[in-house]
Amino acid sequence: MKEIVVSGIRSTGRLHLGNYFGAMRNFLKMQHEYNCFFFIADYHSLTTHPAPNDFHENVRQVLVEYLACGLDPDAATIYVQSDIPEIPELYLLLNMNAYVGELERCTSFKDKIRKQPDNINAGLLTYPSLMAADILIHRAVKVPVGKDQEQHLEMARTFGNRFNRIYRTELFPEPYAFNFGTELVKIPGLDGSGKMGKSEGEGNAIFLSDPEDVIRKKVMRAVTDSGPTELNQKKPEAIKNLFLLMNAVSSHDTYSFFEDKYAQMQIRYGDMKKQLAEDMAAFCKPFRERIEELSKDSEYVGKVARVGAEKARVSAQETVRNARKAIGIRSFY
Ligand code: TRP
């Protein structure tokens, strides 16, 4: 039996290179090794954006982009959270034993209080119970997420264990964060500091769906400096980042060419950025084309979502049936 993996994908925002080299490549490798459930966490987005006017379109775009990257509906179960009514049902059951005190102590909740003081809703408070339901619904043991989700995972373990204890069952195993393989390639943003996508600035991230001219413009505007003043000088942050980006999308020869130039103090950042822009555009092109293709094929996308939901519900229904049984919920008919 393959181990069960669950991961939720945020339902807003286009995929950028940082997402691709991070979570996506992880998913692509995992989908063949494990029993993977990948879903678009659209309910979660309502905790911060309760009345979006493009809800469905956002979900569709994210689904299309993940499929375009090679997420394979024949290998993994790919679905939309809101297509699985058993998730909110388990969420409700978990909430009965989720204590307000522990939910209030969650750092992501405290962050949100600061960010949206006018909308501190119960969905925000119980975000960890919804996420626990996402994971426990398939009795997953592995969850490919970054450090920022560690506390949520710990709460998923707490809620699962608590359920097991209170209702004297072994229904829920403990889910742990994990990454397939060891190296996660860190992709910096173009504004000279931090991870790609971390800052909101339009020019900071290269999206897989960006047209070539947009990519060129963004890359040419990337932050640099006046160049090294000593042989083999240590690179400042912004320059290191430029090289990290080049390492991700350019050939090894190209990369070493500019490394040498830098070491020799002969680097011209204009030339380097031109090359980087070309290589990035070439890297993104097949993805952009596939995104465009899939965007036109609503029949295929619809089928993927339907088949994914059907598969996910088989597993989800079994879990909810067992959870209800453990509590002692029975129908009269
Ligand atoms: N909270 C996760 C994030 O912000 C998304 C998410 C929701 C998730 N449900 C999940 C991730 C279940 C893993 C498993 O990225």
Side-chain angles (χ1 to χ4, degrees), residues 295-314:
S295 279
K296 288 183 214 136
D297 197 347
S298 39
E299 200 175 317
Y300 175 73
V301 175
K303 190 179 136 208
V304 167
R306 177 170 49 75
V307 171
E310 282 166 4
K311 272 203 278 177
R313 287 195 72 187
V314 172

Side-chain angles (χ1 to χ4, degrees), residues 44 57 64 72 82 93-94 96 109 124 137-138 149 166 176 245 260 264 287-288 299 311 315-316 323:
H44 284 281
E57 172 51 27
V64 160
D72 179 0
S82 61
L93 297 178
L94 294 175
M96 301 308 171
F109 180 64
L124 271 185
I137 197 79
H138 302 301
Q149 299 297 314
I166 294 175
Y176 283 93
L245 290 167
D260 288 346
Q264 304 299 319
F287 294 105
R288 190 184 64 249
E299 200 175 317
K311 272 203 278 177
S315 152

Side-chain angles (χ1 to χ4, degrees), residues 199-299:
S199 82
E200 312 276 297
E202 248 308 296
N204 173 49
I206 301 283
F207 297 101
L208 294 179
S209 55
D210 275 343
E212 294 190 7
D213 56 320
V214 172
I215 294 180
R216 282 196 197 97
K217 238 182 254 160
K218 285 181 180 173
V219 174
M220 294 316 286
R221 277 198 211 120
V223 177
T224 53
D225 60 16
S226 49
T229 52
E230 279 169 47
L231 288 173
N232 302 311
Q233 192 177 311
K234 191 171 172 296
K235 298 188 190 88
E237 186 77 359
I239 305 304
K240 223 191 314 174
N241 287 349
L242 216 54
F243 274 95
L244 278 173
L245 290 167
M246 183 164 251
N247 192 35
V249 297
S250 302
S251 74
H252 184 70
D253 285 353
T254 302
Y255 180 81
S256 353
F257 174 83
F258 287 100
E259 276 268 275
D260 288 346
K261 288 277 179 209
Y262 183 88
Q264 304 299 319
M265 298 189 322
Q266 287 162 0
I267 193 145
R268 287 162 53 170
Y269 291 129
D271 291 349
M272 181 178 178
K273 289 202 279 189
K274 236 182 235 157
Q275 182 68 46
L276 180 59
E278 288 322 304
D279 293 341
M280 273 203 180
F283 183 87
C284 294
K285 187 167 184 245
F287 294 105
R288 190 184 64 249
E289 288 174 350
R290 187 83 185 113
I291 290 168
E292 277 166 21
E293 236 173 86
L294 284 169
S295 279
K296 288 183 214 136
D297 197 347
S298 39
E299 200 175 317

Side-chain angles (χ1 to χ4, degrees), residues 8 85 99 105 131 140 151 154 161 195 227 236 276 288 313 329:
Y99 305 123
R105 276 195 296 278
M131 181 159 160
Q151 195 178 29
E154 192 185 324
N161 284 333
K195 267 168 56 173
L276 180 59
R288 190 184 64 249
R313 287 195 72 187
I329 301 173

Side-chain angles (χ1 to χ4, degrees), residues 36 64-65 80 94 152 191 198 220 255 283 311 317:
C36 289
V64 160
E65 294 197 353
V80 179
L94 294 175
H152 287 150
D191 55 6
K198 257 275 183 280
M220 294 316 286
Y255 180 81
F283 183 87
K311 272 203 278 177
Q317 280 168 350

